[in-house]
Amino acid sequence: MDDTAALASKKGIIITAVIAAGIIGTSMLIWLLPQHSPSNGVNITDKEGAMADAANLPADNLSFVYTQHNFATTDVENSFDKWTKGEISTNDMNAAISTARSQLDALRKRVDTPGVPQPWQESYSLYSQALAKSSSYLDEMKRIVDSGDKNADHTTLNSIKGEISSLIDRAIKTFPTSTTTNSPPT
């Protein structure tokens, strides 16, 4: 039994060492690989990268926008909830609204980028409308915050949120179903 336990212990140490080496090696690759793709020389966070994504990877670009839009909306809604409970100040809430507005403006530029392939234009247009409605949502939220009434009626806010959801649902339903529309041109 002692030989078996010793063998199992050695085997465990070897497996752990191999896993650790793999993790360290992979981490090193992230630092060593070039930050720009040699094929197109753009970064997806800059203007040229956004245009390249919209033209060549429209589904990926719209997915990125959708995800970031959800993050921005969730953050500002959480702050608004905290503001209504008195957990954060009006200044902090206004800062959260301002941050969300900046994020949404940047996302709108990504969907309003020229060069979107024809099959994707309707989805992009609808999502642009959803982002514009999101600005109206933030305006209404700011109006409530500026009023100082933490118990204000949220009917208009909820109505705008419903319109945003409807536009996003429509944008998703108009995604082209063919896999060839998502591949880069040859």
Side-chain angles (χ1 to χ4, degrees), residues 23-69:
I23 292 170
I24 292 168
T26 304
S27 298
M28 292 296 291
L29 281 176
I30 292 171
W31 291 104
L32 296 175
L33 292 176
Q35 296 300 311
H36 298 289
S37 169
S39 63
N40 62 13
V42 296
N43 181 331
I44 65 168
T45 60
D46 62 20
K47 182 178 178 182
E48 292 80 19
M51 288 191 314
D53 273 357
N56 299 322
L57 303 167
D60 293 346
N61 187 52
L62 213 47
S63 177
F64 172 82
V65 169
Y66 176 82
T67 301
Q68 295 304 309
H69 181 215

Side-chain angles (χ1 to χ4, degrees), residues 93-169:
M93 185 60 226
N94 281 325
I97 291 171
S98 179
T99 298
R101 187 174 310 279
S102 295
Q103 292 169 339
L104 295 178
D105 288 346
L107 294 174
R108 189 148 184 216
K109 287 177 185 173
R110 284 186 76 96
V111 292
D112 289 344
T113 300
V116 175
Q118 168 58 35
W120 286 92
Q121 288 179 0
E122 185 176 2
S123 290
Y124 271 67
S125 175
L126 288 165
Y127 213 102
S128 179
Q129 292 172 45
L131 291 168
K133 254 320 166 189
S134 294
S135 290
S136 298
Y137 181 75
L138 293 175
D139 291 341
E140 177 62 14
M141 189 178 283
K142 180 151 179 48
R143 186 195 64 74
I144 293 170
V145 170
D146 288 345
S147 76
D149 185 2
K150 295 181 183 199
N151 297 314
D153 183 18
H154 296 168
T155 303
T156 303
L157 199 60
N158 293 334
S159 174
I160 296 170
K161 187 174 180 177
E163 292 175 44
I164 295 166
S165 292
S166 175
L167 286 164
I168 291 171
D169 288 345

Side-chain angles (χ1 to χ4, degrees), residues 1-12:
M1 276 257 185
D2 289 334
D3 290 334
T4 306
L7 182 60
S9 177
K10 287 179 185 179
K11 193 174 185 180

